[in-house]
Amino acid sequence: MCVTEADALLNMMKKIIAGEAPENYDRFYQAHKDVFNMTAVKADYERMKQWYGHVTLESLKELQTMVVADFLKKDLLRSDRAPTKRELLQVRLDKVEELLPADYELPEDFSHQCAKFRRYISWDGDILVINYNDYGRFMCHNLTRLSLYDLVSLFEFDILLSLIHQDMRQMAAAELRQEPKRESRSEPRSAPTAVADFGLLVCKPEKAALVTRRLHELMEGKTRPKDVLMPVRAAMDAGALRRPTWPEFCNEFGRGRLRCKSSLSNYTQPDIEPYQGSAFDEMVKEFRNLIL
């Protein structure tokens, strides 16, 4: 009778976990990542950039590909289900290989690893975006199968990608600002539209780089407009940031970050409160501390 009762309770727990809201897996993963020391990973990333010498947007794309390849070679997704033929056909190994060093050796099952990996990511232009809902679900369901080394590797990979993406976005924004505007000879020349540097929106100029960098970090991996804009609204409510305009937002974070400017308008509207809960409150508190 005890065994039967225990079995029934375990099955009930499985059903509860299976029906968990997707964003809770994101929170589960982020809670574990928050206690991870990033110092060594940041030092490794700086050494990687030194190896490349002059860092460009193209070299950062290559570095992103090599970091992903190194991650997949560790076979951390070994407990995930085998890929289908349809998933394997979607893998473009030629696109991967052209961004890797000529002498980089790929394992025989690399296509299978790529097919599994595609279940957990999407693309924002050239930037690979981790879906933390799915990534967190994988970690939660396989926690007993993952060694401490495996868990560290999952976090290191995520942090390395975040550092690369931060540089990619800043470099792309800088190129966009420097790109000369084309003028048509048949049309009269109009006055240029000034777009303020995003750092000027920060209430304390000496904290501009710190606040802007944290916004990039908190947006990383988010795809839903509400999730993307949550850090911006938290910084506004903390008194750290003025409400950005659509050009100012795109200039800093890229036009691909949001599909339309109505999202920015809705979630930063001062007279409404689109965010509730402890996660948002903690974010507001963090930005208040940043500008102290």
Side-chain angles (χ1 to χ4, degrees), residues 155-272:
F155 296 137
E156 284 181 340
F157 169 67
D158 181 15
I159 294 164
L160 269 178
L161 278 187
S162 297
L163 294 169
I164 294 170
H165 296 163
Q166 182 177 313
D167 284 346
M168 286 177 72
R169 288 196 172 97
Q170 289 176 353
M171 199 165 289
E175 288 183 2
L176 186 63
R177 287 194 292 268
Q178 294 172 4
E179 185 178 315
K181 295 181 178 179
R182 298 177 182 176
E183 297 178 5
S184 174
R185 294 183 181 180
S186 60
E187 296 178 1
R189 183 176 180 178
S190 57
T193 302
V195 178
D197 180 72
F198 196 85
L200 298 177
L201 307 182
V202 179
C203 68
K204 289 188 177 181
E206 68 273 16
K207 302 286 186 178
L210 191 63
V211 171
T212 304
R213 182 169 64 250
R214 189 56 182 148
L215 286 170
H216 277 280
E217 291 171 353
L218 291 170
M219 285 185 194
E220 189 63 52
K222 302 298 187 291
T223 55
R224 293 195 312 160
K226 187 173 183 179
D227 296 335
V228 169
L229 290 166
M230 185 174 172
V232 175
R233 183 56 186 261
M236 289 172 56
D237 287 6
L241 186 73
R242 176 178 69 74
R243 186 186 188 190
T245 64
W246 175 247
E248 288 166 344
F249 180 88
C250 293
N251 194 42
E252 178 63 35
F253 302 105
R255 289 192 173 274
R257 177 61 73 177
L258 293 174
R259 290 184 184 142
C260 58
K261 63 181 180 180
S262 62
S263 297
L264 179 67
S265 176
N266 292 337
Y267 290 114
T268 60
Q269 189 72 25
D271 55 353
I272 63 172

Side-chain angles (χ1 to χ4, degrees), residues 17-18 20-30 119-122 129-142 158 220-224 227:
I17 292 173
E20 195 67 62
E23 58 269 19
N24 287 342
Y25 288 111
D26 183 349
R27 296 192 190 99
F28 171 83
Y29 172 76
Q30 299 298 342
R119 298 166 182 167
Y120 302 97
I121 59 107
S122 59
V129 179
I130 295 175
N131 185 324
Y132 288 112
N133 292 342
D134 294 331
Y135 202 62
R137 182 187 292 107
F138 171 80
M139 193 178 90
C140 179
H141 289 182
N142 294 280
D158 181 15
E220 189 63 52
K222 302 298 187 291
T223 55
R224 293 195 312 160
D227 296 335

Side-chain angles (χ1 to χ4, degrees), residues 122-152:
S122 59
W123 288 92
D124 179 7
D126 293 315
I127 291 178
L128 185 152
V129 179
I130 295 175
N131 185 324
Y132 288 112
N133 292 342
D134 294 331
Y135 202 62
R137 182 187 292 107
F138 171 80
M139 193 178 90
C140 179
H141 289 182
N142 294 280
L143 203 54
T144 57
R145 300 184 185 94
L146 296 169
S147 66
L148 180 59
Y149 171 79
D150 293 336
L151 291 172
V152 169

